[in-house]
Amino acid sequence: MSAGTASDAALDALFVPFSTGELTLPADENLLFLRARDGFPLRERKRAGWLMQQSFKPAADALAASGFQVTADLPERRFRVVLVLPTRQREESRALFAQAMAHVGEGGIVVASVANTEGAKTAEADLARLAGHVTTLSKHKCRVFWTRPGAVADASLQAAWLTLDEPLSVAEGRFVSRRGLFAWDRIDTASALLVDVLPNDLRGRVADLGAGFGYLACTAIERCAGITSVDLYEAEARALEPARRNLADAVTRAGRAVATHVRWHDVTHGIDEGYDAIVSNPPFHQGRADDPTLGRAFIAAAARGLAAQGSFWMVANRHLAYEATLDACFASVRTVVEQGGFKVFEARNPRR
């Protein structure tokens, strides 16, 4: 995230009660930070053994580069202090609160911070409902709120909220997804448009960049009998299990052997080379603002990863100007269709 965003403000605000002395940070390894994000307020208080949980690869990499211990998954043990930066998706955040309460040790506390513009009052009410009374302060246009030491979660509510992070069926049972993923509860309109014009003769090694729960790759496997292997690249680790399950189902429906690999990976750092076809509906947001640099980085990665005779198929919002980057990276580019606010490109002959 860039400096000055609401999300940075939430990170700043999270540490205010520790700065004022209302709360105390552990000097040992007894701190877990759920959906942790790197930043000066965290780095200046760093202690050996603190565990950062972050499932989004770029954010996890930033934490690791600052010397923190990072995991994409939830640990087994409990902690004296559990910090949380909730998400904008309410049910996903409820699952986070339930997970935080499940990982706080005897006498410990859960502390959360949310920007006012991103549902602070709602998040505060949810944690209070789960854990009882919370103490609140306002700072940096955010709310910071924390549980009483040793607060015990409402057992039935906690059990119900923990299930909110489990994979669930979408698209009339054809796929599984997970709350909080991009377009988690439906087939994204842009991806559906790309699938509508995707040729049936794709073959060989195929990559799906920014794959989410795997809709593009799964559809390609079922439609294109010449595909022999598929690699999914996805930066959000919470999407990996649904993607694996969806790929396995797609291979079963296709009735033939297809090698599949699901990778937790930041595409902007590059991908493997030699793909015969690459498909992508790249992300275009950084926070709430449109950020076409992400899509441009995906285009550059695709050009480097594509075999000389391969093809790159990409869908994007019509208002995002990717044409110059496509022309710089590929010798042959055509707009296949423009419809419903989106455009699909086919690019060939990558420039080396």
Side-chain angles (χ1 to χ4, degrees):
M1 298 291 177
S2 59
T5 66
S7 296
D8 290 323
L11 182 64
D12 291 341
L14 183 63
F15 290 97
V16 169
F18 299 101
S19 297
T20 61
E22 293 176 79
L23 300 175
T24 302
L25 287 166
D28 56 15
E29 71 280 359
N30 265 294
L31 182 140
L32 171 66
F33 193 168
L34 299 181
R35 301 298 168 85
R37 196 163 47 248
D38 188 36
F40 179 74
L42 177 62
R43 290 194 299 269
E44 72 171 343
R45 296 169 173 85
K46 180 181 176 183
R47 297 290 186 275
W50 284 4
L51 183 60
M52 308 290 115
Q53 182 276 329
Q54 176 54 258
S55 58
F56 185 55
K57 194 67 166 65
D61 288 345
L63 287 162
S66 290
F68 289 102
Q69 182 181 348
V70 187
T71 177
D73 303 314
L74 292 168
E76 296 294 330
R77 67 186 184 93
R78 293 174 178 263
F79 300 79
R80 190 160 66 248
V81 174
V82 180
L83 306 179
V84 187
L85 288 177
T87 71
R88 297 191 188 100
Q89 214 283 332
R90 187 177 188 184
E91 291 182 323
E92 183 186 6
S93 290
R94 284 178 163 179
L96 270 175
F97 288 144
Q99 292 163 354
M101 292 300 295
H103 283 81
V104 70
E106 184 176 352
I109 59 170
V110 172
V111 188
S113 176
V114 182
N116 294 336
T117 57
E118 296 182 1
K121 286 185 178 180
T122 298
E124 178 190 353
D126 280 344
L127 183 57
R129 182 181 170 196
L130 177 66
H133 173 77
V134 296
T135 302
T136 306
L137 64 79
S138 295
K139 191 70 173 179
H140 303 308
K141 298 183 179 179
C142 300
R143 284 182 178 237
V144 188
F145 42 96
W146 59 92
T147 63
R148 289 188 297 251
V152 177
D154 179 299
S156 61
L157 189 61
Q158 183 178 29
W161 285 6
L162 285 172
T163 67
L164 297 176
D165 192 42
E166 296 176 356
L168 71 169
S169 296
V170 296
E172 299 180 340
R174 187 180 173 203
F175 299 100
V176 292
S177 183
R178 210 169 191 174
R179 290 176 176 88
L181 302 181
F182 171 72
W184 69 270
D185 59 347
R186 64 192 185 279
I187 303 303
D188 173 61
T189 301
S191 293
L193 178 62
L194 175 54
V195 162
D196 283 345
V197 298
L198 203 63
N200 294 331
D201 60 355
L202 298 183
R203 58 192 309 105
R205 295 178 62 220
V206 175
D208 182 352
L209 309 187
F213 61 75
Y215 169 69
L216 293 178
C218 289
T219 306
I221 287 172
E222 293 178 46
R223 282 179 36 185
C224 305
I227 292 177
T228 57
S229 71
V230 171
D231 290 348
L232 267 66
Y233 292 85
E234 172 54 47
E236 177 51 65
R238 297 178 63 253
L240 304 186
E241 180 186 352
R244 290 188 185 101
R245 290 170 58 175
N246 292 330
L247 280 175
D249 289 344
V251 171
T252 298
R253 287 192 294 265
R256 68 182 195 281
V258 179
T260 60
H261 302 89
V262 177
R263 305 187 181 193
W264 186 41
H265 185 76
D266 181 355
V267 168
T268 66
H269 292 170
I271 62 173
D272 288 351
E273 298 180 356
Y275 288 107
D276 299 294
I278 298 175
V279 297
S280 185
N281 178 3
F284 59 92
H285 283 113
Q286 184 83 320
R288 291 189 174 185
D290 286 356
D291 184 3
T293 61
L294 290 171
R296 291 168 187 152
F298 271 53
I299 293 168
R304 292 191 297 268
L306 197 65
Q309 302 304 314
S311 61
F312 173 47
W313 292 79
M314 170 185 166
V315 64
N317 284 48
R318 181 180 289 170
H319 71 276
L320 296 175
Y322 290 136
E323 286 82 354
T325 304
L326 285 163
D327 287 338
C329 293
F330 295 90
S332 175
V333 179
R334 71 182 181 101
T335 302
V336 180
V337 64
E338 291 192 36
Q339 181 178 309
F342 302 100
K343 51 192 175 185
V344 174
F345 299 101
E346 181 194 15
R348 291 180 173 271
N349 303 319
R351 301 182 191 273
R352 302 303 190 195

